[in-house]
Amino acid sequence: MSTSSALKFFMNLAKVQALVSRRFDRLNMHGLGFSDFMILYLLHQAGEERMRRIDLADRIGLTASGITRMLLPLEKNGLLKREINERDARVSYVVLTTAGKRLFNEALDTANEAAKDLLPAATVKAIKPLSDILATLGGNIS
Amino acid sequence: MSTSSALKFFMNLAKVQALVSRRFDRLNMHGLGFSDFMILYLLHQAGEERMRRIDLADRIGLTASGITRMLLPLEKNGLLKREINERDARVSYVVLTTAGKRLFNEALDTANEAAKDLLPAATVKAIKPLSDILATLGGNIS
DNA sequence: GACATATACTTGATTACTCAATGATTTTAC
DNA sequence: GTAAAATCATTGAGTAATCAAGTATATGTC
């Protein structure tokens, strides 16, 4: 049996993600890893800068358990805080603090620069159809 | 500052890879995770089914350290074995065993099927430009 | 042919996740 | 209105990786 182009695609996806995430993490953006940055990004985007943990997990593509663990150091460093939901005691919101907002804005510049650096300028123009393909695979971050 | 489309692309790449790798790993292809599968794939492709650890690391997108650790259980399970290089005592080759070859062939079917399942048939045709971009980012597995 | 530098690999400590199970609460169904 | 099912979050145990440092060997330079 031969290897389908679909499978090769997924192998290259895995490899590129490994390379790219290592490069982003090495930037050590103001102390944030890339996943940390994504969490701040999603919160920044959300109305009132607050999200349920489960929604955050879903949106970032991790499990609820993973989110619980990722948030711990960010809370400890005062970038996020926790808020309860009056109507549903199971829920606890994640809320961006002022410090979190400030750090995010700084990190955003760094991240944007790194992203542009990584993605050849010529390629940027061709990116729309690619984003569409990622979207069919669950990549719905905008 | 706004978010460049390049940065959004990388966030979606990260998310999709997280989703996809979880789905592949849940298949538990004959006891192999997706990274294990990739290792066997690359060895299978290599001339004489042997590679230096450093080349394997490079090709799969991990660090040498990561490779050392990933190979341990595969060696213990008899899918791979270790071979020295007569000319250079620093090198130790990774070699696919007969058992490894057999398991790889079984896993390949499962992996191909899963890949086709994941990637909408309509999309497969449109995948070329994304593969090209992945290639510029270091995704050179074929 | 010795010394500095580079290369291949492993190890120690740490981080970032996973799954499966559990606790707490809410919603649904009768 | 109570029992069963679903949902949200956390925890315990484990895996898969990272980086930085260390060991061993090889290569290039003078």
Side-chain angles (χ1 to χ4, degrees):
Chain A
M1 172 134 201
S2 73
T3 309
S4 70
S5 56
L7 181 52
K8 281 178 197 157
F9 168 72
F10 286 117
M11 289 195 283
N12 279 310
L13 190 71
K15 175 172 184 177
V16 168
Q17 171 55 19
L19 295 173
V20 163
S21 86
R22 211 154 60 236
R23 282 189 66 162
F24 269 106
D25 284 347
R26 289 208 111 166
L27 289 180
N28 202 13
M29 300 174 286
H30 311 266
L32 301 171
F34 191 63
S35 296
D36 298 322
F37 173 80
M38 280 180 75
I39 288 177
L40 299 192
Y41 176 78
L42 292 173
L43 283 169
H44 180 80
Q45 266 208 330
E48 313 206 10
E49 284 148 355
R50 97 193 36 220
M51 284 180 92
R52 302 191 312 166
R53 281 155 153 69
I54 188 72
D55 295 330
L56 191 51
D58 194 61
R59 214 141 160 65
I60 208 175
L62 301 182
T63 62
S65 165
I67 285 294
T68 293
R69 296 191 142 99
M70 297 243 342
L71 295 182
L72 282 172
L74 296 174
E75 272 179 80
K76 208 169 67 181
N77 293 335
L79 304 176
L80 305 178
K81 65 180 188 236
R82 173 182 296 257
E83 221 166 75
I84 61 165
N85 179 328
E86 297 289 333
R87 306 234 173 123
D88 188 339
R90 288 169 307 183
V91 169
S92 103
Y93 286 113
V94 194
V95 187
L96 206 49
T97 64
T98 311
K101 265 178 262 189
R102 184 160 27 78
L103 190 63
F104 169 70
N105 280 311
E106 286 169 25
L108 181 55
D109 288 351
T110 313
N112 262 325
E113 199 139 332
K116 279 179 185 146
D117 221 52
L118 236 65
L119 202 61
T123 311
V124 172
K125 292 174 187 161
I127 213 155
K128 171 75 170 67
L130 314 177
S131 296
D132 292 346
I133 295 182
L134 287 180
T136 71
L137 291 168
N140 54 6
I141 295 173
S142 54
Chain B
M1 171 132 201
S2 72
T3 309
S4 71
S5 54
L7 181 52
K8 281 177 197 158
F9 170 72
F10 286 117
M11 289 196 281
N12 280 310
L13 191 70
K15 175 172 183 176
V16 168
Q17 172 55 19
L19 295 174
V20 164
S21 86
R22 214 154 58 236
R23 282 189 65 163
F24 268 107
D25 282 348
R26 289 209 110 165
L27 289 179
N28 202 13
M29 299 174 288
H30 309 268
L32 300 172
F34 191 63
S35 295
D36 299 321
F37 174 80
M38 280 179 75
I39 290 177
L40 299 193
Y41 176 79
L42 292 172
L43 283 169
H44 181 79
Q45 266 207 330
E48 312 207 11
E49 284 147 356
R50 99 192 35 218
M51 284 180 91
R52 302 191 312 163
R53 281 154 152 71
I54 188 71
D55 295 330
L56 191 49
D58 194 63
R59 210 137 164 68
I60 208 173
L62 301 182
T63 61
S65 163
I67 285 293
T68 293
R69 296 191 142 98
M70 296 243 344
L71 295 182
L72 281 173
L74 296 173
E75 271 180 79
K76 209 170 65 181
N77 293 335
L79 304 176
L80 305 177
K81 65 182 189 235
R82 174 182 295 259
E83 221 166 75
I84 61 165
N85 179 329
E86 298 289 333
R87 306 234 174 124
D88 188 340
R90 293 169 304 180
V91 169
S92 100
Y93 285 114
V94 195
V95 187
L96 205 50
T97 63
T98 310
K101 264 178 263 187
R102 184 159 26 79
L103 191 62
F104 169 71
N105 281 312
E106 287 169 24
L108 181 55
D109 287 351
T110 311
N112 262 324
E113 198 139 335
K116 279 180 186 147
D117 220 52
L118 234 64
L119 202 61
T123 310
V124 173
K125 292 171 188 163
I127 212 96
K128 176 77 168 63
L130 184 44
S131 292
D132 290 346
I133 292 200
L134 289 180
T136 72
L137 291 167
N140 55 5
I141 295 171
S142 55

